[in-house]
Amino acid sequence: MSVDVNSERGRMVAVYRRFAASYAGGGSPEYERIALGVAQDERLLDLVVGLPAGNKRQPNLLLGAVRFLGGPTDSFEGFAGWVVEHWEQVRGVVLERMTQTNEVRRCATLLPVLASLEGPLALVEVGASAGLCLYPDRYRYSYDGGAPIGAVESPVLLECATRGAVPVPERVPRVVWRAGVDLNPLDAGSEADVRWLESLVWPGHTRQARVERLRAAASVAAAEPPLLVRGNLLEALPGLVAQAPRDATLVVFHSAVAAYLSVQERERLEQMMGGLPGHWVCNEGGRVFPHWEGVRAPEPTDFTLAVDGRVVAYTGEHGQSLTWR
Ligand SMILES: C[S@@+](CC[C@H](N)C(=O)[O-])C[C@H]1O[C@@H](n2cnc3c(N)ncnc32)[C@H](O)[C@@H]1O
């Protein structure tokens, strides 16, 4: 197929090829094959181009929608035929939903930082999805296979490999208040929302463990739902900060959110955090802030973890590892 790179279709070919590389890097050959297949299939490219421009055309959303509806993703041929036949349903889910993977294991990489702050803590997560990372005190943790610490009865065990002088805590911090904001908050008590989060977990060797953790963490959040507000983080944050109890240490944190923000929005976020009556914990991929120039994570997919603007560690994108700087 000849591709005009300046056409809408040509741009989608590039997007799906780029994603194929990241699926390959992320250990999901199944999605890699499908993304490469879409990039060569005129029928599918035309369907994707018929979606509203921007986030609605991204591969993660299309693949998540197909999984959510029970469609096949084990071969490109099966996937393509099914998508063409069920396009109206797929389109409906794509238009209704957003990609908002909630990875609870990231708490394992945040814990050493949170536990080092004077408690008790009042947590605010911006870009919280279903808020599963708002419960660091309700999970158990094992670093490098060591004896678990944390909430003894918790159904969630978060395992993490460390490198360098990670200050592994002996106990989890006391959290007295938790709140979050999201453009589209998900409800950990809703079967459909949890199934959507499951559908966003890529196939591959880590999928089953990730889905089990997700389900267990959702049961924790559903038992004690957090205050989650709908809105743009830049607008909603001051209101949430004002509601936080004064006699607790405020911590505003975010992970895997900056990619959704424009450069100008990131600058505004950084300015807001500078004036915060508390701490700012940032766990993000890539070079999100200009002053991170020169900061190089050990693995290309690693996130950078910064406290009050200072880089302290690199973290596995799904919380599987923590490399202290
Ligand atoms: C990839 S998810 C990460 C969720 C969670 N922080 C975690 O680490 O598991 C990113 C979330 O940020 C939210 N988001 C993106 N831009 C936002 C904005 N401007 N204001 C509020 N939420 C936003 C998305 O809706 C999504 O739920």
Side-chain angles (χ1 to χ4, degrees), residues 98 100-103 106 125 127 182-183 231-233 255-256 260:
M98 298 166 60
Q100 36 188 161
T101 307
N102 205 175
E103 181 48 72
R106 291 185 183 131
E125 184 179 13
D182 201 284
L183 288 175
N232 189 311
L233 59 92
S255 61
Y260 293 72

Side-chain angles (χ1 to χ4, degrees), residues 128-156:
S129 185
L132 304 184
C133 294
L134 277 166
Y135 298 81
D137 54 330
R138 297 286 194 263
Y139 305 137
R140 284 180 302 140
Y141 302 84
S142 170
Y143 293 93
D144 302 312
I149 57 157
V152 180
E153 305 289 320
S154 180
V156 181

Side-chain angles (χ1 to χ4, degrees), residues 20 23 28-39 73-76:
Y23 289 132
S28 189
E30 194 173 310
Y31 272 12
E32 181 195 4
R33 279 194 297 275
I34 291 184
L36 286 176
V38 173
T73 57
D74 47 351
S75 76
F76 173 69

Side-chain angles (χ1 to χ4, degrees), residues 54-239:
N55 289 340
K56 293 294 172 193
R57 296 181 183 176
Q58 56 171 307
N60 275 341
L61 187 53
L62 175 64
L63 286 154
V66 172
R67 285 196 90 101
F68 185 70
L69 293 166
T73 57
D74 47 351
S75 76
F76 173 69
E77 291 69 27
F79 172 86
W82 194 92
V83 168
V84 170
E85 197 178 328
H86 298 86
W87 181 245
E88 276 318 301
Q89 282 166 273
V90 174
R91 189 170 188 279
V93 175
V94 164
L95 294 182
E96 185 195 337
R97 298 270 176 188
M98 298 166 60
T99 56
Q100 36 188 161
T101 307
N102 205 175
E103 181 48 72
V104 63
R105 201 185 198 181
R106 291 185 183 131
C107 284
T109 59
L110 301 178
L111 186 74
V113 165
L114 297 177
S116 72
L117 303 174
E118 199 178 326
L121 304 181
L123 299 180
V124 178
E125 184 179 13
V126 295
S129 185
L132 304 184
C133 294
L134 277 166
Y135 298 81
D137 54 330
R138 297 286 194 263
Y139 305 137
R140 284 180 302 140
Y141 302 84
S142 170
Y143 293 93
D144 302 312
I149 57 157
V152 180
E153 305 289 320
S154 180
V156 181
L157 174 66
L158 304 176
E159 292 168 298
C160 182
T162 72
R163 265 178 288 185
V166 174
V168 173
E170 286 177 4
R171 59 186 64 86
V172 294
R174 191 155 77 89
V175 177
V176 289
W177 191 79
R178 52 193 110 226
V181 52
D182 201 284
L183 288 175
N184 182 46
L186 294 178
D187 176 0
S190 149
E191 179 56 27
D193 281 1
V194 175
R195 216 161 51 71
W196 173 243
L197 287 173
E198 260 185 44
S199 308
L200 291 173
V201 178
W202 298 0
H205 64 283
T206 59
R207 178 179 160 83
Q208 195 180 337
R210 289 183 67 198
V211 167
E212 280 166 14
R213 275 196 301 271
L214 168 69
R215 286 249 161 219
S219 74
V220 171
E224 187 195 348
L227 166 63
L228 274 188
V229 301
R230 178 181 298 273
N232 189 311
L233 59 92
L234 294 168
E235 277 135 39
L237 183 59

